[in-house]
Amino acid sequence: MPETPTTPKHIAIIMDGNGRWAKERGLPRREGHRAGAESVRECVEACKQLGIGYLTLYAFSSENWNRPAAEITALMALLERFLDQKADEMMKQDVRLQAIGHIERLPEKTRKKLRTAIERTANNKSLTLVLALSYGSREEITEAARSLVKDASEGRLTAADVTKELFASRLYTHDIPDPDLMIRTSGEMRVSNFLLWQISYAELVIFKKFWPDFGQSDLFEAVEEYSRRHRRFGGL
Ligand code: IPE
Ligand code: IPE
Ligand code: MG
């Protein structure tokens, strides 16, 4: 059934281009990541202003574990700093933090800070900020299939019970609506193993600029572009 587009309920962002932003300035890649954290703050603020319910940010992919150890360490340190510094602000802004991905793979210290921030903000209501960390869509889908097979082999379900709703209920995003709008920065036309199941009918908006240059006005622009789209969901 076609739907008149209004404001998206859920925006997902592939925050790409931190390294190139830094390189352009003759800075180390970690400086690009540091600058990118500021864009996160701007986007949270913009989503709050627009009354958007969910913002999912691709912060670290399963494949990003293949990067040099020093870059991974810098990214984890940055995430820890973000969690330490932003928890108060999230409380003030009524933002609830959640995480999706293979969280067990994160260093213990990072995981602990993440858990603390998630628990502290659990009752906040205005905006749910979902961080995709050590996230890979194929891993997520594989895990869902594995949990269904396990239930079947232990006699809890049959092949006929497996519907798309049941499958979706086994994904990390089981309690999060599908994104309506997906944004990627740095001009790459690919989805890089991000929310493959969930973005089936999302509208895509690609920005040429690098993530550290992305701000509130860009998010507003993406939402405006979304509102001009005609979502058809396969109908007329
Ligand atoms: C995005 O920027 C941040 C992460 C993937 C962690 P990149 O680090 O991918 O920057 P580019 O794409 O190499 O410029
Ligand atoms: C996607 O960016 C992952 C994140 C933004 C965290 P990448 O830079 O890792 O993706 P590719 O390598 O360009 O596909
Ligand atoms: Mg990249």
Side-chain angles (χ1 to χ4, degrees):
M1 178 70 96
E3 191 176 279
T4 312
T6 48
T7 311
K9 236 194 245 139
H10 181 178
I11 300 178
I13 308 183
I14 303 178
M15 311 185 289
D16 196 23
N18 294 350
R20 279 165 281 175
W21 181 92
K23 194 173 175 208
E24 257 185 11
R25 288 162 179 74
L27 297 168
R29 290 178 62 86
R30 65 167 187 281
E31 289 303 316
H33 297 313
R34 209 170 54 82
E38 183 57 24
S39 303
V40 170
R41 200 186 57 76
E42 294 229 357
C43 286
V44 169
E45 219 141 86
C47 285
K48 280 272 311 181
Q49 278 185 40
L50 294 172
I52 283 155
Y54 294 83
L55 172 65
T56 298
L57 301 176
Y58 203 6
F60 193 84
S61 76
S62 313
E63 289 74 22
N64 290 151
W65 289 114
N66 299 324
R67 294 195 179 187
E71 182 168 352
I72 295 174
T73 306
L75 281 165
M76 292 303 148
L78 199 64
L79 173 61
E80 288 171 19
R81 199 167 339 133
F82 176 86
L83 294 168
D84 281 341
Q85 290 178 352
K86 302 293 172 189
D88 285 346
E89 212 170 304
M90 286 192 272
M91 290 309 291
K92 225 183 290 160
Q93 291 190 313
D94 198 31
V95 173
R96 173 171 69 142
L97 184 73
Q98 288 194 341
I100 54 171
H102 191 180
I103 303 301
E104 299 72 32
R105 219 178 148 185
L106 298 176
E108 171 59 25
K109 194 169 151 220
T110 316
R111 236 184 314 151
K112 225 172 122 193
K113 287 182 190 290
L114 185 64
R115 212 179 310 126
T116 305
I118 289 173
E119 280 167 14
R120 192 169 161 213
T121 61
N123 294 321
N124 292 346
K125 303 252 170 334
S126 312
L127 168 68
T128 299
L129 173 63
V130 184
L131 296 181
L133 294 166
S134 188
Y135 176 86
S137 200
R138 286 184 168 177
E139 286 80 352
E140 177 183 38
I141 290 169
T142 307
E143 260 186 50
R146 199 179 297 127
S147 90
L148 292 172
V149 171
K150 185 166 187 287
D151 279 6
S153 66
E154 291 169 6
R156 284 188 293 275
L157 57 85
T158 66
D161 295 326
V162 182
T163 58
K164 54 184 195 258
E165 290 76 19
L166 182 68
F167 200 93
S169 77
R170 302 296 171 101
L171 299 172
Y172 297 133
T173 51
H174 57 90
D175 54 354
I176 299 170
D178 287 344
D180 305 292
L181 167 63
M182 192 174 85
I183 298 170
R184 181 166 187 151
T185 54
S186 89
E188 309 294 353
M189 297 292 199
R190 55 176 175 261
V191 291
S192 303
N193 204 13
F194 190 42
L195 301 174
L196 302 181
W197 172 285
Q198 298 88 340
I199 59 168
S200 292
Y201 272 103
E203 295 293 326
L204 310 180
V205 177
I206 311 289
F207 283 79
K208 282 229 163 64
K209 59 174 71 177
F210 298 135
W211 176 248
D213 290 327
F214 191 90
Q216 279 201 40
S217 57
D218 299 304
L219 193 122
F220 292 146
E221 189 187 318
V223 169
E224 227 179 276
E225 166 69 26
Y226 171 86
S227 72
R228 285 193 293 269
R229 301 276 178 94
H230 178 206
R231 300 183 82 185
R232 291 158 50 132
F233 301 99
L236 288 177

